Amino acid sequence: MHQAYNVQSILKQGVQIESIAAYGNHVILGTRSGQLIMYSVDESGVDMRMFNKNFSRKPITQMEVIAAENLLFVLTDNLIQVCDIGRLESNFAFLHSSADTKGCTLFTMDVDSQTSTTGEVATFIRVCCAIRRRLVFFFWKKDKLDSLQLSIELSDVPKTLCWVGHAVCVGYKDEYVVYDISCNTPKKHDLFLTSSSVSRDPCICLIRNNMLGISKDKYLVIVDPSQYKSKENDGSATSVDEVHPGRMESQNSLPPLLWSSPLLDLVWDDPFAVGRVNNAIEVRSLVGKDTLVQSIPELEKTRFLVHADQGTIFAAATSELWCIRQVEIPIQRQQLLQQKKFQLAIEVTKISNEPAEDKAQTIRQIHMLYAKELFTNKEFSAAMKEFERAAIDPYDVIRLFPNLVPEPKPGTEDSTVPVSTAPQLEDGDLENAYLALIEFLALARQREVVKLRDTKSSSKSLLEIIDTTLLKCYLQTNDSLVAPLLRLNQCHLEESEKTLKKHNKISELIILYQMKGKHKEALKLLQEQAGIEGSVLQGRKRTIRYLQELGSDHLALIFEFADWVIKENPEEGLSIFTDKLIEVESLPRAKVLDFLISKHKSLIIPYLEHLITEWSDTNTLRHNVLIKQYREKVQRLLVQQEKGEEVPELKPLRAKLYKMLEESNVYSPDRVLEEFPTNVLLEERALILGRLKKHDKVIAIYIHVRGDVAKARAYADANYENDKTIFQTLVKTIMVPPTEPIYEGVALHPDFSPEVNRKVLLELLNTYAVKIDPIEIFQFLPDDMTMTELEKYMDKAVRQKLADKHHMQMMCGLLQAESNRLEAALQAKRAISFELNENSVCPECKKRFPSQSAFVRYPNGQIVHLSCHDRIARAAAQQ
C-alpha cells in the first residue's frame, strides 16, 4: 500500500447533515432541518460562502450540482427544486419547482456538453425521477423541467439509480436491472442479485464516465452498458435477458474488485475507487494484483461520500465534514515505483498536470521498468506487451536474448552492444520467451513496413534485424513459418545463411538465395543435393522449377544449369523451356533454339513442335527450321530403310512433314524448296511447288512420277478459282508426255510415258469439258484421235461457248439499258435551275448569301452555306 490521499477535517458542529454535493473546492450540505450551506475549502482554510436557513421545512434528501450551468438540483419533501449557485449574494436563489416530480424519492441525472462549430458550448441536462414504482424522465429547458414523454413501470421501489448514455441502472433491495432507453420501447435487462446470501442495500457508481460500478457482496463488478444497447437495424436488443447472472461478470473486460466488506457507498476519483465499508474508507485500484491502495480507518463514521473534482473528495458524517485530497503525483509515483507497482504508477501519471511531453516520457520509462520486471519474472508475453507500449527499439528487446544477437566478425568487437542482464533461460522458459518475442517483433515489423512505405523514414537495416531474429525464433519454435518469412526478402544474407546451415535447412536456404538474387549459389546447391540419397532436394524437379522461375534476365544461368538436367533426362529437361508458365513463355525462343542446336540437337524437333502446336508460334524462321529437321531426319531414315533396317518411326514422321507442308501458312516455300531433294520426297515437293503456284510442275509430279490422276484432279479442282487454265495444264501434261525423266534419277510412270494415255485423256476431257478451252488444246491432241472420240467433249464445250456468248450479249443489253437510264436521269438533274439573289437567306444561320459564296443544295431544294453544311455534318457524325 501507499498513501494516495490526505484527510483534512473541515467541520465539527451541530448541524445534522442529511445530504451532500460538491464541485471544484466547494461543498454543499443539506440538513435535516431543510437548510442549505456552501463552504469553500482551500489550503488557507474553510470559508462559508452561502447559507439559506429556510430553504425547506423538510430534510434535504438528495442534491446534484451542474457546475457548468451554476445549477443545484435539490430533492426535498419528495419534490425536485432547482436553485442558482452562480451568485454568492443570492444564497441559493430559487429558480424552479416541478410539480410533475411530486412523490420523487430519488433521482439521477445525465449531463452532456457539446461544442458547436462556432465554439459555443451547449449543456444538455436530463433528469430521471423515481416516483413510487415508476421512472419518469425530464429535461432542463431554459429555466424549467419539461417532460421527455417517457416513463418506465418498475417491479419494485428503487433504492438507487445511475444514468449513463442510453442506459439507466436501477438497484432494488434484492437485484439490479438495466433499462435501454435508446429504442422506442425501453428494453429491460436483468443483471444479478445484490447479494448471494443476505439482503443488502444496492450501490452503483459511474466508473471512468462510461462504465457502471455495481456492488455485489464484497465485490465491485464493472459493467459495460454498451452491451445492452439495442441493434439499430432490426430494433431487437442484445440477447442478455436469458444470460445467467453468474456469467454477467465474465462479460466485462475488468475482473470483479474484492473489498474487505460489502460496499456502503462509492465514488470514482480517477484512477481510484474510493468506497465506504464497515469500519473504514478504502481506496482501491482497478489494475494490478494487490488492489488495496490505502485504508482510512479514522473515517469509519462517514455516512456520505461525494466527488468534487479530480483529486478531491468530500466525506461527511451526521455532523462532521472532511476533505480527502490526493497526494501529489510525483510523491505517489515514487512510492509506487519503490513498491514495483508499475501499472498504478502509470495510471496516476496519466492524470498528472505535468507537460504532455514530460508525462509521455515518464510513462514510457515506467513501461520499460515494468517490462523488464515482468521479463525477469518470466512473464514473457506480458513483458512484450509492455515493451510495445513503451515504443522501445526492437533491437533493445532482442539484446535480452544473447543467442539471437549476431556474433561479431572474427577480429572485431562490437562495444556498442552491452552484455544482457536478463536471467539465463532454460529450454521450457526459452521457448515461451521466443513465442512472446515473435509476437512483439511481428507487430514491430508491421510498423516499420508502414513507415518505409508511407514516409520512407524507417531504416531497412532495422527490418533486417527484425526478420533475421524472427528467422532464428521460428527455427526454435515453428519452422513451418521460416519459408514465408524468407520470401519477404528482408533477412540479413550472411547471418541467415549461417543460421540455416547450422540447422540444416537446405530447402529454406534455397529460398534465401533466391530472394537475395544469389541464383548461382542456389543452383549449385540444388545440383549438389540432387544426387544425395534421402535429401529433401533429391532429384531434378526443384532445379527445373527454379530455372523456370528465373526468367529471361538470367538466360545464361538457365542454359548453364539446364545442361546437366537435359543430359540426365532430356524429356524433363525440355520442360524448362516448354511448361505453361509466363516466365517460360517469355524466354527468347531464338536463343533457346540456338542453345538446343548447339548442345542438344535431339530436342530441336520436340521444342519446335511445342512452340508451333501449343503456343501457336508464327515465326517463319522456326517453321522453316522444323520442316528442315523433319526432312533431314526422314532422309536419314530412308537411307536406313534402303539398307534393310526397320524404321517404324519413318511413317509417322513423314506424315508430320506432309501435314506441316500442307497446313502451315507461315513457312517460306522458296527457302524450303532450295534445300529439298529432287530424287526423294516428291509428294512433299509437290506441296511446296503448289504454294509457289507452279501448277505445271505439281501436276507433272502427280502424273509422270506418281501416276496419281486422282491427286492431280483434286489439285486442279482446289486451284481452279485462282487459275482458270489449270485443267488445260492438266490435259496438256497428259497429251505431251516427257521423253526424259523430269528429275534426275527419278523414273517416269509407265502409264503416261512414252505414249499418251487416251483413256485418261478422254475421261478428263468429257468430265471437265466446260473448264477446258478446245482452242487451247486442239494443237496438242494426238493426230490420230477421231472426232467420234471427241464428240461428247466437243458437244459440251461448244454448248458452253454458246451459253457464254448468249450471257455476254444479255449483259451488254442490260448494261446499255442502264446506261441510257442514267444518262436520262443526269439530263433531268441538269435541267433543274434555281435563283439565288441578295434576298436569299440560309435556313440554318439565317444570314444572306454574299456574292461568290460557296453553298450546298439539298435534294429537297434547300440551299445552305457550305460552312453550315459542314457544321451539320460534323454534329451528325458525333452523335
Side-chain angles (χ1 to χ4, degrees):
M1 295 193 299
H2 80 282
Q3 186 173 358
Y5 289 92
N6 291 322
V7 179
Q8 176 187 358
S9 178
I10 299 176
L11 292 174
K12 289 184 178 180
Q13 61 183 27
V15 296
Q16 291 185 319
I17 301 173
E18 192 69 22
S19 60
I20 183 172
Y23 68 100
N25 63 341
H26 299 87
V27 59
I28 303 172
L29 304 181
T31 68
R32 183 172 296 179
S33 58
Q35 299 172 348
L36 287 178
I37 310 171
M38 177 189 287
Y39 293 98
S40 176
V41 182
D42 53 26
E43 296 177 355
S44 61
V46 181
D47 183 22
M48 180 185 290
R49 307 303 297 271
M50 293 187 193
F51 178 66
N52 190 327
K53 183 177 180 180
N54 301 311
F55 184 83
S56 175
R57 296 180 180 180
K58 296 294 180 72
I60 309 296
T61 55
Q62 185 181 350
M63 294 186 294
E64 295 290 342
V65 175
I66 310 299
E69 298 293 321
N70 292 316
L71 296 176
L72 177 66
F73 286 72
V74 181
L75 178 61
T76 179
D77 195 17
N78 299 116
L79 188 70
I80 290 181
Q81 300 185 31
V82 184
C83 56
D84 178 19
I85 57 174
R87 294 176 292 119
L88 297 179
E89 65 276 10
S90 67
N91 284 328
F92 304 102
F94 176 81
L95 293 179
H96 173 67
S97 177
S98 176
D100 292 337
T101 63
K102 186 64 179 177
C104 178
T105 53
L106 72 154
F107 68 93
T108 184
M109 305 183 72
D110 178 66
V111 182
D112 183 24
S113 297
Q114 297 182 2
T115 304
S116 67
T117 55
T118 59
E120 297 180 358
V121 179
T123 303
F124 300 91
I125 303 171
R126 296 186 295 175
V127 182
C128 173
C129 298
I131 303 175
R132 290 180 287 278
R133 296 190 178 188
R134 191 160 59 98
L135 294 182
V136 184
F137 293 82
F138 303 89
F139 72 100
W140 180 255
K141 183 179 180 181
K142 293 183 179 179
D143 55 356
K144 65 177 182 177
L145 283 174
D146 266 3
S147 175
L148 275 174
Q149 304 300 318
L150 175 64
S151 63
I152 301 174
E153 297 295 330
L154 304 179
S155 60
D156 199 353
V157 176
K159 296 290 186 179
T160 184
L161 295 174
C162 187
W163 190 350
V164 51
H166 65 89
V168 176
C169 185
V170 181
Y172 298 116
K173 62 183 179 181
D174 56 355
E175 67 170 340
Y176 295 99
V177 297
V178 168
Y179 286 94
D180 173 21
I181 61 173
S182 64
C183 46
N184 294 331
T185 303
K187 179 70 175 178
K188 177 185 175 185
H189 303 278
D190 293 328
L191 294 182
F192 41 81
L193 300 178
T194 56
S195 175
S196 303
S197 54
V198 297
S199 177
R200 297 188 184 278
D201 287 340
C203 179
I204 309 172
C205 175
L206 195 59
I207 304 292
R208 292 177 178 170
N209 294 325
N210 60 359
M211 306 286 281
L212 292 171
I214 303 176
S215 171
K216 178 182 180 182
D217 294 326
K218 293 183 179 182
Y219 290 94
L220 176 66
V221 181
I222 310 300
V223 175
D224 182 4
S226 65
Q227 63 183 313
Y228 307 116
K229 189 171 184 179
S230 300
K231 295 180 180 178
E232 295 179 357
N233 294 337
D234 56 10
S236 62
T238 50
S239 179
V240 295
D241 287 358
E242 295 78 13
V243 176
H244 192 276
R247 295 179 55 193
M248 189 65 66
E249 296 171 2
S250 65
Q251 295 180 2
N252 305 292
S253 58
L254 294 172
L257 189 65
L258 178 64
W259 298 71
S260 61
S261 65
L263 284 167
L264 302 175
D265 200 358
L266 179 71
V267 294
W268 173 256
D269 184 33
D270 199 14
F272 303 112
V274 182
R276 182 165 64 90
V277 293
N278 287 337
N279 298 314
I281 295 291
E282 288 186 356
V283 180
R284 292 188 178 267
S285 167
L286 300 183
V287 298
K289 296 179 181 178
D290 184 9
T291 62
L292 180 60
V293 175
Q294 184 180 359
S295 179
I296 310 176
E298 61 265 31
L299 300 182
E300 62 178 337
K301 296 180 181 179
T302 301
R303 287 185 58 206
F304 307 103
L305 282 176
V306 63
H307 182 259
D309 199 1
Q310 176 59 52
T312 303
I313 300 171
F314 288 96
T318 302
S319 59
E320 294 183 67
L321 182 65
W322 297 271
C323 180
I324 307 173
R325 294 188 187 274
Q326 272 198 35
V327 176
E328 293 183 1
I329 298 301
I331 297 175
Q332 288 194 66
R333 183 166 59 227
Q334 184 178 2
Q335 295 179 30
L336 290 168
L337 291 178
Q338 289 174 353
Q339 297 173 16
K340 295 186 177 181
K341 293 185 176 181
F342 302 103
Q343 291 174 285
L344 189 52
I346 292 169
E347 292 296 320
V348 298
T349 303
K350 287 179 180 178
I351 64 169
S352 70
N353 295 324
E354 299 168 320
E357 291 184 5
D358 295 344
K359 185 190 297 187
Q361 181 62 22
T362 302
I363 291 174
R364 182 177 179 275
Q365 291 173 353
I366 298 173
H367 277 301
M368 290 279 292
L369 292 172
Y370 185 34
K372 290 179 179 178
E373 178 68 18
L374 290 170
F375 192 90
T376 302
N377 295 334
K378 299 180 180 180
E379 297 181 40
F380 304 113
S381 181
M384 294 303 163
K385 290 178 181 177
E386 290 302 315
F387 281 132
E388 176 74 20
R389 295 186 181 105
I392 188 175
D393 187 338
Y395 190 55
D396 292 335
V397 179
I398 294 170
R399 287 192 297 205
L400 295 172
F401 301 81
N403 55 332
L404 297 181
V405 178
E407 297 178 6
K409 295 181 180 179
T412 64
E413 292 185 0
D414 190 357
S415 60
T416 63
V417 182
V419 178
S420 171
T421 58
Q424 201 72 19
L425 301 176
E426 302 296 333
D427 291 343
D429 293 332
L430 190 60
E431 182 176 355
N432 292 333
Y434 281 151
L435 291 172
L437 179 62
I438 287 170
E439 186 176 353
F440 170 79
L441 291 178
L443 293 173
R445 188 186 196 286
Q446 290 178 6
R447 288 196 306 272
E448 294 305 314
V449 169
V450 170
K451 288 181 185 177
L452 193 64
R453 184 183 66 237
D454 295 344
T455 65
K456 311 296 182 184
S457 62
S458 180
S459 170
K460 284 192 174 182
S461 61
L462 181 56
L463 271 179
E464 276 193 354
I465 293 171
I466 292 173
D467 279 12
T468 306
T469 306
L470 281 172
L471 171 66
K472 295 177 180 179
C473 293
Y474 288 156
L475 288 170
Q476 297 287 344
T477 57
N478 186 358
D479 55 7
S480 65
L481 299 174
V482 171
L485 175 66
L486 290 171
R487 291 190 177 94
L488 297 175
N489 195 26
Q490 294 293 346
C491 291
H492 187 268
L493 176 60
E494 290 78 10
E495 186 69 20
S496 301
E497 181 182 25
K498 181 172 63 177
T499 303
L500 291 170
K501 286 181 177 178
K502 178 181 177 181
H503 289 81
N504 196 31
K505 294 293 182 180
I506 305 300
S507 183
E508 287 78 4
L509 184 57
I510 297 297
I511 297 174
L512 175 67
Y513 285 145
Q514 185 178 19
M515 299 310 298
K516 293 296 181 181
K518 301 293 182 181
H519 302 300
K520 192 161 189 175
E521 289 82 351
L523 289 166
K524 283 181 179 178
L525 184 58
L526 285 170
Q527 187 174 359
E528 292 171 5
Q529 295 292 317
I532 298 177
E533 189 72 29
S535 171
V536 292
L537 300 176
Q538 183 182 0
R540 299 171 291 271
K541 290 185 178 179
R542 186 68 182 272
T543 301
I544 292 171
R545 187 166 71 249
Y546 194 104
L547 291 171
Q548 289 172 339
E549 294 171 354
L550 279 179
S552 55
D553 292 340
H554 304 279
L555 198 60
L557 207 56
I558 295 174
F559 292 157
E560 180 182 349
F561 287 92
D563 193 53
W564 74 266
V565 178
I566 294 174
K567 287 177 180 177
E568 286 193 7
N569 191 309
E571 185 177 350
E572 289 185 7
L574 182 61
S575 67
I576 296 171
F577 308 106
T578 58
D579 260 4
K580 292 183 178 180
L581 296 172
I582 295 175
E583 295 85 356
V584 173
E585 291 193 38
S586 63
L587 291 175
R589 298 171 186 180
K591 293 183 178 180
V592 174
L593 182 59
D594 290 342
F595 166 69
L596 296 177
I597 290 174
S598 62
K599 290 194 173 183
H600 304 283
K601 289 184 172 59
S602 62
L603 296 181
I604 297 174
I605 289 178
Y607 176 67
L608 290 173
E609 286 179 342
H610 183 86
L611 294 186
I612 293 168
T613 59
E614 298 296 328
W615 293 350
S616 304
D617 191 296
T618 57
N619 182 270
T620 298
L621 178 61
R622 286 190 278 278
H623 279 250
N624 290 350
V625 172
L626 180 56
I627 291 172
K628 180 180 178 181
Q629 292 295 318
Y630 280 152
R631 175 185 58 76
E632 289 178 349
K633 191 169 183 179
V634 168
Q635 285 184 261
R636 290 195 296 271
L637 293 175
L638 287 171
V639 172
Q640 293 177 17
Q641 189 180 51
E642 289 175 0
K643 294 178 180 179
E645 299 178 15
E646 291 188 4
V647 282
E649 67 269 29
L650 174 60
K651 186 175 180 180
L653 185 63
R654 191 167 181 180
K656 287 182 179 181
L657 173 60
Y658 191 91
K659 183 179 180 182
M660 181 78 177
L661 292 169
E662 184 178 33
E663 296 180 357
S664 174
N665 296 316
V666 180
Y667 71 90
S668 176
D670 49 349
R671 293 297 299 275
V672 172
L673 189 63
E674 290 176 2
E675 300 177 345
F676 231 78
T678 58
N679 57 343
V680 293
L681 303 177
L682 292 178
E683 283 198 42
E684 290 79 359
R685 185 181 185 86
L687 291 174
I688 302 170
L689 291 168
R691 288 295 177 87
L692 295 172
K693 306 302 180 184
K694 297 182 179 181
H695 305 309
D696 53 341
K697 293 185 178 181
V698 176
I699 293 172
I701 290 174
Y702 287 143
I703 297 297
H704 297 307
V705 177
R706 305 299 299 169
D708 194 339
V709 179
K711 274 197 174 182
R713 291 171 64 173
Y715 179 80
D717 268 329
N719 291 275
Y720 178 73
E721 292 300 325
N722 296 323
D723 186 356
K724 299 296 185 180
T725 65
I726 192 168
F727 279 99
Q728 293 163 195
T729 304
L730 173 59
V731 296
K732 285 179 183 177
T733 303
I734 296 174
M735 290 189 294
V736 186
T739 56
E740 294 180 358
I742 58 176
Y743 297 107
E744 185 178 352
V746 179
L748 296 173
H749 198 279
D751 288 349
F752 297 93
S753 180
E755 299 295 333
V756 177
N757 191 326
R758 292 175 176 249
K759 180 179 178 182
V760 173
L761 175 61
L762 288 173
E763 183 184 354
L764 290 173
L765 288 173
N766 294 334
T767 304
Y768 301 101
V770 297
K771 297 180 180 180
I772 301 173
D773 190 348
I775 298 173
E776 297 294 330
I777 66 164
F778 268 14
Q779 58 180 320
F780 301 105
L781 289 171
D783 295 337
D784 57 349
M785 184 168 282
T786 64
M787 286 302 294
T788 306
E789 294 174 298
L790 296 172
E791 181 182 0
K792 187 175 181 181
Y793 161 69
M794 289 301 295
D795 182 60
K796 290 182 179 180
V798 171
R799 288 180 182 277
Q800 183 62 35
K801 286 290 183 181
L802 291 173
D804 291 343
K805 182 179 179 181
H806 181 63
H807 181 264
M808 187 65 68
Q809 290 173 341
M810 287 180 64
M811 288 302 298
C812 286
L814 290 172
L815 290 172
Q816 185 61 46
E818 180 64 15
S819 176
N820 294 339
R821 186 187 67 79
L822 291 174
E823 183 66 27
L826 180 59
Q827 292 299 328
K829 292 296 182 183
R830 285 175 176 171
I832 296 175
S833 63
F834 57 89
E835 182 181 355
L836 192 66
N837 54 40
E838 64 275 7
N839 296 322
S840 300
V841 177
C842 174
E844 289 296 325
C845 66
K846 311 303 181 184
K847 294 181 181 179
R848 300 182 185 278
F849 290 91
S851 60
Q852 298 183 351
S853 71
F855 60 87
V856 174
R857 181 182 182 277
Y858 292 140
N860 62 1
Q862 244 185 9
I863 302 172
V864 299
H865 291 105
L866 177 61
S867 58
C868 294
H869 167 74
D870 293 341
R871 185 173 64 253
I872 295 169
R874 284 195 300 269
Q878 291 174 358
Q879 291 179 353

